[in-house]
């Protein structure tokens, strides 16, 4: 019976994949968006699948949809096969010499502006059949929906990193500077030690340096300061603009503030203390084999980040 179903003119596998998406999302509309078809077409697919299998799979109402016993059986048995089917398709794609398909990236705003935009543009020029979908964000991401994620963090070299099932590769590392505008410091005073930062307006990113816990080191001794909860923003360029606008003291990477420090628009605070480093890491899930378009882009990414940062 299964042979006759698979050899029929009905695209039964596509319909079964869509049916699983309906059960997983609990919505025809969400499943249709996920699968890239219209809700009307998706509803018709499930009805046609029911006709082919001669059994009701979904009980519909205006408020909810529920899988029937047969529908639940189909979902329980078929949905675990989807990752293997997807991996098989990607493995077959790897046999093609030409790169094609979509690469999904999640990046912090600063890395996207300084590096990723140029690198992606170059790669699209070299491989016109490779498409990109880029999400500019600084927080958590779903590794099942993203091929590569770029995240910033601040740390000392001996600080342990959290365990993760994802592969983590260091892309960049540069010093962080504590800085503020001359106008702000003239009005509020220049801090002479880290503890005095608690008396100042401080600008920070929750994803960097543990949020409002700033760490400093001098003569091998580490000092941690809990700063006032003044302003939080996970966009380093906006924090720079706020610092230039005399809003407070910011903790920002070298590449962003170097010219402002040279011009005197910002002043370096506590220069005798060792601050944390600003790290950009690449995260991706281990896949064997990795699709050729992703593997090749990863290698090109490392080469271009090294050359651009130099």
């Amino acid at each position: 019976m299964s042979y006759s179903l698979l050899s029929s003119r009905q695209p039964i596998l596509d319909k079964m994949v869509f049916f699983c998406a309906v059960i997983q999302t609990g919505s025809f509309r969400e499943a249709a968006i996920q699968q890239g078809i219209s809700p009307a077409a998706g509803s018709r697919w499930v009805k046609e699948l029911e006709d082919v299998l001669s059994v009701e799979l979904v009980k519909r109402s205006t408020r909810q949809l529920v899988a029937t016993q047969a529908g639940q059986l189909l979902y329980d048995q078929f949905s675990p096969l989807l990752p293997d089917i997807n991996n098989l398709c990607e493995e077959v794609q790897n046999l093609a010499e030409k790169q094609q398909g979509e690469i999904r990236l999640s990046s912090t705003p600063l890395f996207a502006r300084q590096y990723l935009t140029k690198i992606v543009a170059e790669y699209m020029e070299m491989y016109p059949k490779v498409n990109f979908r880029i999400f500019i964000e600084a927080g958590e991401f779903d590794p099942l929906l993203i091929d590569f994620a770029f995240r910033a963090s601040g740390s000392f070299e001996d600080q342990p990193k959290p365990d993760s099932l994802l592969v983590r590769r260091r892309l960049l590392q540069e010093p962080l500077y504590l800085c503020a505008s001359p106008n702000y410091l003239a009005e509020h005073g220049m801090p002479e030690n880290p503890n005095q930062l608690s008396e100042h307006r401080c600008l920070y990113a929750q994803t960097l340096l543990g949020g409002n816990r700033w760490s400093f080191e001098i003569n091998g001794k580490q000092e941690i300061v809990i700063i006032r909860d003044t302003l939080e923003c996970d966009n380093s360029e906006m924090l720079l603009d706020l610092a230039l606008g005399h809003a407070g003291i910011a903790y920002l990477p070298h590449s962003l503030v170097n010219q402002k420090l040279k011009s005197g628009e910002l002043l370096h605070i506590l220069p005798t203390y060792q601050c944390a480093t600003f790290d950009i890491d690449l995260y991706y899930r281990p896949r064997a084999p990795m699709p050729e378009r992703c593997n090749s882009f990863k290698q090109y990414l490392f080469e271009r980040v090294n050359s651009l940062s130099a």
Side-chain angles (χ1 to χ4, degrees), residues 30-43:
E30 291 298 322
I33 293 173
Q34 185 184 98
Q35 299 297 314
I37 64 175
S38 69
S43 180

Side-chain angles (χ1 to χ4, degrees), residues 61-75:
S61 71
T62 55
R63 293 186 177 181
Q64 63 178 351
L65 58 88
V66 179
T68 64
Q69 183 177 355
Q72 192 64 47
L73 175 64
L74 176 60
Y75 177 79

Side-chain angles (χ1 to χ4, degrees), residues 118-192:
K118 181 175 179 61
I119 292 171
V120 167
E122 293 172 351
Y123 205 79
M124 292 177 68
E125 183 70 20
M126 292 187 295
Y127 301 103
K129 292 186 178 181
V130 175
N131 306 314
F132 285 86
R133 182 174 297 183
I134 303 176
F135 303 91
I136 305 301
E137 52 194 0
E140 296 182 356
F141 64 95
D142 187 342
L144 296 179
L145 301 178
I146 297 295
D147 293 306
F148 299 108
F150 308 90
R151 287 296 180 267
S153 64
S155 64
F156 286 96
E157 289 187 5
D158 58 352
Q159 181 177 337
K161 297 293 183 183
D163 292 334
S164 173
L165 296 177
L166 301 177
V167 178
R168 172 179 165 269
R169 296 278 302 275
R170 175 64 44 78
L171 283 176
L172 292 167
Q173 186 174 69
E174 58 182 276
L176 279 160
Y177 294 136
L178 198 66
C179 52
S181 70
N183 286 4
Y184 173 84
L185 295 172
E187 181 178 350
H188 299 277
M190 172 73 78
E192 297 181 357

Side-chain angles (χ1 to χ4, degrees), residues 94-111:
N94 287 340
L95 298 177
E97 294 183 359
K98 293 184 179 180
Q99 295 196 55
Q100 58 185 353
E102 182 178 81
I103 299 177
R104 294 153 294 181
L105 309 175
S106 172
S107 174
T108 60
L110 184 61
F111 181 77

Side-chain angles (χ1 to χ4, degrees), residues 217-222 274:
E217 188 174 308
I218 187 168
N219 299 326
K221 182 180 179 182
Q222 189 175 19
Q274 178 187 347

